[in-house]
Each structure stands twice: as C-alpha cells, then as structure tokens.
Amino acid sequence: DQQVKQNSPSLSVQEGRISILNCDYTNSMFDYFLWYKKYPAEGPTFLISISSIKDKNEDGRFTVFLNKSAKHLSLHIVPSQPGDSAVYFCAATFISNFGNEKLTFGTGTRLTIIP
Amino acid sequence: EPEVTQTPSHQVTQMGQEVILRCVPISNHLYFYWYRQILGQKVEFLVSFYNNEISEKSEIFDDQFSVERPDGSNFTLKIRSTKLEDSAMYFCASKTRTGGTDTQYFGPGTRLTVL
C-alpha cells in the first residue's frame, strides 16, 4: 500500500547547486503535504509544508511545489549546503476537524551534498 | 525551543517480555501519536490519541499494544508481549491544534531491539 512514493532512494548534489527531491502520491483525498528531514539516530524534523489549495510554498532556501493534477510534489533546496545531507521524507495527510490526522510517509530519499 | 523527548533511547528486551516506551510531548500540545520505522523501511503510523482516548489506530496496533497518558505530561506506548518483528525505531509525535495546518513534531525515537 504505497500511497506516497519517493522513487529515488538517493541523490548526490554538488554544494551550491540546486537539490530537487520528488514525491508522488496516489490518494487524491490527501490535501496537506509535508517534508521532513532526518539525520541518523534522530527523529524526523519538519522542514516545510503545503496545502492543496496552493501550488508553491517557500521558506528560505526551501521551496515545495505541488502539482495536483499529476499528484506530484517536489522539494527544491537552493543553494545546497553540506548540512543538508540527510534523509528526506515526504508525508501526506487529510485535513479534518477532528485533529487526529495521521501522516503517511514515503520511503525517503538520502541526499548527499558533495563539497 | 520546546521539543518532544523520549526515553529510553535504546531498549533491548527478550521476546515475550513487556516494554513501555515513554514520551514527553510539547507541553501545550493536544494531539499525540506513535509511529515506528523498521530498519530500511518507511515511517509507519501506529496510533493517534486525543482527549484521553485513541482517535485512530493502524492494523499494526493490535491487542498487544496500548497507549496511556498517565499524567499531564507523559505519553506511553506499551507492548505486552514483544515479538522479534517489533524491533524498530519508535517515534512519538505531538501537535497543538486541529485543522491540519499544524505540524506534528517528532521526538528522537526509541530503538527497540527484541532478541
């Protein structure tokens, strides 16, 4: 049951260049999407999110793009820095008034920034 | 900055033994979650908890699992009789309010090893 997919298990990018991480989802009920970053032996750290009513959200070096018709989102990191080396997880959820929205995660992409 | 804490960081137990994993969510948060990540796999939702009761649970969360908020600060996950396949990283998360636009913040995790 892979409702959220990250097809690239790993990605290497030169320092200073743009890193683009991709995520696809199959469940059209998802209406809120998040990116988390995870270092070894630590919990996921929230990076950026986007609601389905938007197609872009930007926060500093991080921008998330959402293409609802393609059920695709991407995370752009510009410029990439060595500290960005981590595993990046895409997550999706439904917004509800009950507040108990669980997150459905992708399998993650390991990003390595080459100095 | 407030953060979710979890203890212990690593728990080793014999198959069939009971374990209790502890979490202290961020103090003004209302919604609490447990997730787990088996080595090499994706982060999976286990259970959500609000207003002293379970809001939702996954198929993984069978009768061997239980959650409790015994006081105003702790949130625990108990596994009554551990199995080898329960070996995983267990992450606690918390969130402040309903509406879906508030982020789930994760703790550093407890690595559970069942021998």
Side-chain angles (χ1 to χ4, degrees):
Chain A
D1 176 21
Q2 289 199 46
Q3 297 187 67
V4 179
K5 302 179 203 178
Q6 293 176 256
N7 291 320
S8 298
S10 63
L11 175 68
S12 295
V13 174
Q14 286 288 136
E15 182 179 356
R17 301 283 188 124
I18 182 171
S19 295
I20 300 176
L21 296 99
N22 293 303
C23 177
D24 297 294
Y25 61 97
T26 57
N27 191 335
S28 57
M29 298 296 291
F30 288 139
D31 53 11
Y32 195 72
F33 305 90
L34 308 92
W35 284 95
Y36 285 85
K37 172 180 176 180
K38 187 179 179 304
Y39 293 117
E42 294 185 14
T45 302
F46 170 72
L47 275 178
I48 193 169
S49 60
I50 188 166
S51 163
S52 60
I53 62 173
K54 296 186 176 181
D55 54 19
K56 177 183 173 181
N57 189 27
E58 194 170 348
D59 183 2
R61 296 187 298 116
F62 302 93
T63 303
V64 55
F65 295 92
L66 175 62
N67 182 333
K68 278 175 55 181
S69 60
K71 296 193 180 70
H72 176 84
L73 60 154
S74 61
L75 174 68
H76 292 211
I77 306 174
V78 182
S80 300
Q81 299 174 353
D84 296 329
S85 294
V87 178
Y88 288 77
F89 290 97
C90 169
T93 188
F94 318 90
I95 294 178
S96 80
N97 290 327
F98 298 104
N100 59 336
E101 304 89 351
K102 67 180 181 186
L103 296 176
T104 300
F105 282 85
T107 48
T109 296
R110 180 178 302 279
L111 175 65
T112 302
I113 305 302
I114 305 164
Chain B
E1 185 176 321
E3 57 183 19
V4 177
T5 59
Q6 290 185 242
T7 55
S9 57
H10 191 187
Q11 174 90 48
V12 181
T13 189
Q14 294 290 325
M15 191 170 59
Q17 295 295 304
E18 174 184 287
V19 294
I20 298 176
L21 310 183
R22 291 183 167 80
C23 169
V24 179
I26 296 173
S27 63
N28 64 338
H29 285 190
L30 302 175
Y31 301 89
F32 312 109
Y33 307 82
W34 284 100
Y35 293 82
R36 78 172 186 190
Q37 184 182 28
I38 294 172
L39 188 64
Q41 298 186 23
K42 65 169 73 176
V43 177
E44 301 173 287
F45 168 78
L46 290 177
V47 66
S48 58
F49 191 86
Y50 169 70
N51 201 26
N52 281 323
E53 60 183 27
I54 290 174
S55 306
E56 185 179 357
K57 57 185 180 180
S58 72
E59 292 175 354
I60 303 166
F61 195 89
D62 62 22
D63 292 343
Q64 294 301 313
F65 290 86
S66 63
V67 288
E68 196 177 34
R69 190 156 160 81
D71 52 41
S73 58
N74 290 285
F75 179 51
T76 62
L77 173 69
K78 182 193 289 186
I79 309 175
R80 270 181 264 281
S81 177
T82 49
K83 305 179 195 129
L84 294 175
E85 54 264 37
D86 293 328
S87 294
M89 282 290 292
Y90 287 80
F91 296 106
C92 173
S94 68
K95 184 168 79 75
T96 176
R97 64 173 174 85
T98 189
T101 55
D102 283 316
T103 302
Q104 291 183 27
Y105 292 91
F106 285 76
T110 293
R111 178 174 298 283
L112 176 64
T113 302
V114 182
L115 303 175

